[in-house]
Amino acid sequence: MSTTRTARPRRASTEAVAAPGALAADVNLPESLGYRVKKRILGKPLVNDELHGEKLSNPTALGIMGIDMISSSAYGSEQMLTQLIPYFGALGFMLVMPITGVILGMLILLTLCYRDVVSVYTKAGGSYVVARDNFGPRIAQIAAVALMIDYIVTVAVQISAGTDAIASYLAITFSVDITSEKLWITVAVVLLLCYGNLRGVKEAGKLFASPAYVYILLVGMTLLLGLGQLATGNLSQATNANDTSYGGVISSGDHTSWVLTAGAVLALLRGFANGGSSLTGLEAVSNGISVFKKPAGRNARVTLTAMSIILGSLVLGISILAWQMKTYPYSEGAPTVLAQITHLVWGKNAVGSVMITLVQIATALILYTGGNTSFSGFPFLVSYVAEDSFLPRQLRTRGHRLAFSNGIIMLTILSLVLIVAMGGNLTKLVSLYAIGVFTGFVMAAAGLFKYHWVRDEPKRTWKLFVNGSAAVCSLAVVLIFAVTKFTEGAWLVVVVFPPAVWGLIQLNRRYRREADALANTPASASLPTRTQTSILVLVDSVDLAVIKTLRYARSLRPTEIRAVHLMVDNVYAEQLRKWWDASQAADIPLEIIEVPDRRIRRASMELAAREAAEGYEVTVLLPRRTYSPVAGRLLHDRTADRLAEVLSTLPHVVATIVPFDVVEAIEELEAAEQGRAVKPKEGDEFAAKPRSTRKMLLDAECATVPDAHTGAPVEVRPINSVRWRERAAVEGRVRSVSVSPVKGSPALEAELYDASGGISLVFYGRRSIPGIEPGARMRVEGMVGEMEGHLAMANPTYKLLPREGQDEEE
């Protein structure tokens, strides 16, 4: 078996194929310091085969996707009271009930709307997808910005509320005030979640579903016991109306004639706006519908309904008990209203101590894990938007552990800035919440309204009524929030929102212009290709970097090679000429061109343009010395990069940077001076191994060839154990596939690797074979031969093996 194509290394190596970037034995590519640090911190890199979705059952999906929504019950009623009591005083406890009723009405309406969303969009849903499909990608950016703001604020609100739960427990149980430390605890938790998600924490894990059920059980028991005490007349009353500890309760107003004043109406609207934060997370099911087991639409509707019932029950129960117990919220957020209710319902005894501990731990856990849902949703959202070319394309790329690392880091930075700016104060953060949340509701409901408007289908009138009402009511909430909470921080969202949408549209316009420019065929492309080539080597010194560049220039076999120094200092230029004449580069004359105005970039462009004008295709080679990152930036300029940038704009001119590693040269010099060998870097373990040759293969010890007529099965072996002229069976992953002509006929060539090494598979007369593609797993059996000095099998029998998460196929 023999071909004329250039051989590539396929010798068995000791590096596992599972490691991305695994190299053949004779390739020396050391890992960078940054990569080694990342691998140490985040763990080994994951390969694409490990990216497979886990389909969730309804109970697990409820625990995972309901965390954000259900956890908002921990602070929803309290946030209403923070707006009502400062104006109405004790009357605010009674007014919280009608506001809770309005919010529950909104919950029912939006639940019906999103049940429709998951019925129509059973593969990818959410307000962004709904708006994009029904209004186009530009209008959809309103939903994109709304969701991004929602995710960012969700991290800030949920983590801050979780810290308040911890602070409440310490305040009630141990009388310990950690108000001054709450901000840094919140920041630390955000950083911890960021680290965990960069390592690849999966949102579908049952571990993340547990806090939701524990919280529902414990808080549900507390509310049922409290309502039972209320029915029997044994409900305890709070006595914290004038408490000055832990920052004190919020100031109490005395506006009892609330119906007659504009200020009272405004206070009611502010309370409603804060209470609207309880509805956050309702869209989580539509965003993650693809992870439901089939039938996805039906299971998503069941889960969404269960989430809404649980949330409505918890919010209603907390509001009733807060009204009856008169639990005043504190200005610093701790103790929380839920913590006070738990403490009063279970009493100051051993059982009460245990229950307050369990409830507050469960509350903190569900709030923290609720914040973690943004670390799953936000990166996927920005990756969708980036795929539509409305965000930088770097956000589409999966990182070291298959997570969208850039999106995770972006979310972490923005949420930390928000938390620090608001001092970790939950009430201030909630002021930013509902605009983004309800704008997303508006886009989803309006999109579904248009979807049904243009279709003649059963129950069309009912669907139009539900989605139209949801869109109008959600828009009303956005306007109420923007007006009533404007001075409390909502101005930030109102001001940022329009420029953010405009920025996404402009970025998309830029991408489209770039794509059009690259797709357009210039007139010069139709001209005949020039046959003469000229290489200009720009010389600034005589050293190994320049020698390497000259060697590379000669290997290109151009028509002409010129070494040029652009002179800005005549004394140095004369010294450079002497060095040049005394060096091994003297076989190429050194030209010195004066640059009196010291405009090196312009002078290099003029030189290249004159050369191109004489009919040459011009390549300008730029030696660049690479240093350590710190030394390179502080001690050296980046002239080569700047020259390459301007030279590449000229027609018939290409600028190429030829790097030379100065750090490695320094290590070799120091080792030579000390008479020792250079210590190999991580990743250099194969550098000393010789390249395999045909003679080495012919001299290898051969095993006995089994009788091909016996039909005895051949044992699957590691690739590095097979020998030339031996029948063998191996299995592994296909790393690459290519088509090469062999004696005028096509041949499909695949590289198969296992943990021990690789072997070539050649299928003559084939351009493609279904299933044989990069990443496929297969088992092959055949006679081992050689190709260009490397082990290979020609037309082996094969069997495709299942990838992870797939069924086996022949």
Side-chain angles (χ1 to χ4, degrees):
M1 179 167 33
S2 176
T3 70
T4 58
R5 61 195 301 269
T6 303
R8 286 173 293 179
R10 297 180 185 85
R11 189 165 179 240
S13 82
T14 57
E15 183 170 346
V17 67
L23 302 172
D26 56 342
V27 179
N28 173 22
L29 288 180
E31 294 177 349
S32 66
L33 174 62
Y35 182 80
R36 297 199 302 271
V37 171
K38 180 168 66 174
K39 190 165 66 173
R40 179 63 60 88
I41 294 175
L42 300 181
K44 71 173 185 177
L46 300 180
V47 298
N48 292 337
D49 280 358
E50 297 180 65
L51 182 66
H52 62 283
E54 178 185 356
K55 300 300 182 180
L56 305 182
S57 63
N58 288 358
T60 304
L62 174 63
I64 294 169
M65 297 183 180
I67 286 179
D68 185 10
M69 183 177 179
I70 295 172
S71 64
S72 61
S73 63
Y75 54 80
S77 300
E78 178 175 352
Q79 289 305 310
M80 298 183 224
L81 292 173
T82 61
Q83 305 302 310
L84 297 175
I85 290 177
Y87 193 87
F88 298 109
L91 183 61
F93 287 105
M94 182 180 71
L95 296 176
V96 78
M97 293 311 302
I99 294 177
T100 299
V102 175
I103 290 173
L104 294 182
M106 283 287 299
L107 174 62
I108 294 173
L109 186 60
L110 288 170
T111 300
L112 293 174
C113 174
Y114 271 86
R115 280 175 59 91
D116 194 15
V117 170
V118 298
S119 297
V120 175
Y121 293 89
T122 57
K123 292 185 177 179
S127 57
Y128 177 74
V129 175
V130 175
R132 183 185 63 187
D133 289 354
N134 292 282
F135 298 123
R138 290 196 173 189
I139 300 299
Q141 301 318 303
I142 298 175
V145 172
L147 286 172
M148 284 190 282
I149 292 174
D150 178 20
Y151 281 127
I152 294 167
V153 179
T154 293
V155 173
V157 169
Q158 296 284 105
I159 305 304
S160 297
T163 304
D164 282 346
I166 295 175
S168 301
Y169 169 67
L170 296 176
I172 291 176
T173 307
F174 302 106
S175 298
V176 175
D177 183 7
I178 61 168
T179 301
S180 59
E181 291 82 19
K182 285 200 306 178
L183 174 61
W184 306 115
I185 294 175
T186 302
V187 169
V189 173
V190 172
L191 292 175
L192 181 62
L193 291 177
C194 173
Y195 172 72
N197 282 274
L198 287 176
R199 283 189 61 92
V201 172
K202 295 183 179 180
E203 64 173 342
K206 293 183 179 180
L207 180 64
F208 276 31
S210 302
Y213 286 104
V214 174
Y215 173 83
I216 293 170
L217 175 64
L218 294 176
V219 175
M221 290 171 55
T222 301
L223 296 181
L224 288 175
L225 180 60
L227 293 174
Q229 293 174 353
L230 175 62
T232 58
N234 297 320
L235 186 66
S236 301
Q237 293 287 313
T239 59
N240 66 330
N242 299 312
D243 192 356
T244 58
S245 60
Y246 314 115
V249 298
I250 61 175
S251 58
S252 180
D254 57 0
H255 297 272
T256 55
S257 57
W258 54 277
V259 177
L260 304 178
T261 64
V265 174
L266 183 63
L268 288 172
L269 292 177
R270 286 154 61 104
F272 169 72
N274 267 31
S277 62
S278 299
L279 304 184
T280 59
L282 186 65
E283 74 285 354
V285 170
S286 63
N287 291 338
I289 189 172
S290 61
V291 304
F292 280 88
K293 290 183 177 180
K294 294 181 180 181
R298 179 182 178 278
N299 289 330
R301 291 194 298 273
V302 171
T303 301
L304 178 62
T305 303
M307 285 168 49
S308 299
I309 292 174
I310 293 170
L311 173 66
S313 301
L314 293 178
V315 171
L316 180 61
I318 293 173
S319 294
I320 291 173
L321 293 183
W323 164 38
Q324 293 295 321
M325 290 180 165
K326 302 296 186 295
T327 51
Y328 283 79
Y330 284 75
S331 58
E332 295 297 334
T336 62
V337 167
L338 178 58
Q340 295 177 54
I341 291 174
T342 304
H343 183 58
L344 292 172
V345 165
W346 291 102
K348 300 179 180 179
N349 50 43
V351 175
S353 299
V354 172
M355 289 305 300
I356 187 66
T357 300
L358 295 177
V359 169
Q360 291 309 109
I361 292 176
T363 303
L365 285 177
I366 193 175
L367 288 166
Y368 285 155
T369 52
N372 187 72
T373 59
S374 290
F375 282 95
S376 299
F378 182 89
F380 276 99
L381 170 66
V382 295
S383 72
Y384 293 150
V385 179
E387 285 180 2
D388 293 336
S389 297
F390 284 91
L391 278 175
R393 289 170 179 166
Q394 296 91 322
L395 295 171
R396 301 180 305 176
T397 306
R398 292 186 181 272
H400 189 76
R401 301 281 292 180
L402 292 180
F404 292 104
S405 303
N406 292 329
I408 292 172
I409 293 172
M410 178 180 175
L411 174 63
T412 301
I413 294 173
L414 293 176
S415 59
L416 286 178
V417 168
L418 184 59
I419 290 171
V420 173
M422 296 297 176
N425 187 286
L426 182 60
T427 301
K428 293 180 180 178
L429 289 168
V430 167
S431 300
L432 307 174
Y433 215 163
I435 291 183
V437 175
F438 279 89
T439 300
F441 293 162
V442 171
M443 299 304 297
L448 261 295
F449 183 87
K450 181 182 178 182
Y451 178 88
H452 295 300
W453 180 264
V454 298
R455 288 170 172 80
D456 187 11
E457 56 188 352
K459 300 182 180 180
R460 176 172 176 266
T461 303
W462 167 251
K463 294 175 181 177
L464 289 174
F465 170 76
V466 168
N467 291 295
S469 301
V472 171
C473 292
S474 297
L475 180 60
V477 174
V478 172
L479 297 176
I480 290 171
F481 215 99
V483 172
T484 62
K485 310 294 288 186
F486 187 84
T487 58
E488 297 181 23
W491 64 268
L492 181 62
V493 178
V494 174
V495 170
V496 167
F497 211 106
V501 174
W502 180 83
L504 296 188
I505 294 174
Q506 292 304 306
L507 181 61
N508 176 259
R509 181 172 178 267
R510 173 71 182 184
Y511 274 134
R512 285 188 290 108
R513 288 171 63 88
E514 291 175 355
D516 292 342
L518 292 172
N520 185 34
T521 303
S524 60
S526 61
L527 298 177
T529 304
R530 298 182 176 185
T531 57
Q532 290 187 311
T533 58
S534 175
I535 291 183
L536 303 176
V537 180
L538 297 190
V539 176
D540 60 347
S541 65
V542 182
D543 56 18
L544 291 176
V546 172
I547 298 300
K548 176 183 179 181
T549 305
L550 290 171
R551 186 183 304 122
Y552 174 64
R554 291 189 183 94
S555 71
L556 298 178
R557 301 185 181 278
T559 306
E560 179 183 65
I561 299 178
R562 296 171 58 188
V564 180
H565 172 68
L566 301 176
M567 183 183 74
V568 295
D569 183 341
N570 61 331
V571 175
Y572 177 77
E574 182 59 30
Q575 184 63 48
L576 178 63
R577 184 189 297 276
K578 295 178 181 178
W579 292 336
W580 187 269
D581 292 339
S583 72
Q584 58 180 299
D587 60 331
I588 298 178
L590 177 64
E591 300 179 40
I592 297 180
I593 299 177
E594 183 184 19
V595 186
D597 57 2
R598 299 169 304 284
R599 299 170 67 186
I600 296 293
R601 283 186 289 181
R602 182 173 182 81
S604 63
M605 292 178 70
E606 291 176 348
L607 171 65
R610 286 197 301 268
E611 193 78 0
E614 296 181 5
Y616 289 101
E617 286 288 347
V618 181
T619 300
V620 182
L621 297 184
L622 303 164
R624 182 176 69 183
R625 300 138 186 100
T626 59
Y627 305 87
S628 61
V630 176
R633 293 189 177 277
L634 295 180
L635 306 180
H636 304 279
D637 58 23
R638 310 287 289 183
T639 304
D641 299 277
R642 292 194 292 269
L643 290 177
E645 181 179 357
V646 296
L647 286 169
S648 296
T649 63
L650 299 175
H652 300 290
V653 176
V654 174
T656 301
I657 292 176
V658 182
F660 180 82
D661 191 347
V662 179
V663 176
E664 184 177 353
I666 292 174
E667 293 178 354
E668 292 176 353
L669 178 61
E670 292 177 347
E673 291 175 348
Q674 299 173 13
R676 58 178 174 81
V678 180
K679 181 180 179 181
K681 299 178 182 178
E682 184 175 345
D684 288 354
E685 57 267 29
F686 302 131
K689 296 185 179 181
R691 182 186 179 99
S692 61
T693 66
R694 180 170 185 173
K695 183 177 186 302
M696 292 170 61
L697 291 171
L698 293 176
D699 292 341
E701 179 181 355
C702 298
T704 303
V705 179
D707 187 351
H709 301 288
T710 61
V714 180
E715 181 183 0
V716 175
R717 297 159 51 187
I719 291 178
N720 70 344
S721 67
V722 302
R723 294 291 182 266
W724 181 57
R725 291 184 177 177
E726 175 186 50
R727 189 170 186 82
V730 297
E731 65 179 48
R733 285 179 56 206
V734 177
R735 177 171 295 179
S736 66
V737 176
S738 61
V739 178
S740 302
V742 178
K743 295 181 180 180
S745 298
L748 181 70
E749 181 182 342
E751 294 181 341
L752 186 73
Y753 280 78
D754 65 6
S756 66
I759 190 171
S760 291
L761 310 177
V762 182
F763 299 89
Y764 291 113
R766 306 291 295 273
R767 292 185 179 274
S768 65
I769 298 177
I772 297 183
E773 58 188 19
R777 294 183 62 246
M778 58 190 300
R779 181 182 301 128
V780 299
E781 179 181 341
M783 185 65 67
V784 180
E786 64 86 22
M787 184 180 69
E788 294 292 335
H790 300 282
L791 297 180
M793 287 186 184
N795 293 328
T797 59
Y798 69 91
K799 179 180 181 180
L800 295 177
L801 302 177
R803 301 191 191 190
E804 189 173 357
Q806 295 181 341
D807 294 328
E808 186 166 342
E809 58 177 330
E810 293 292 330

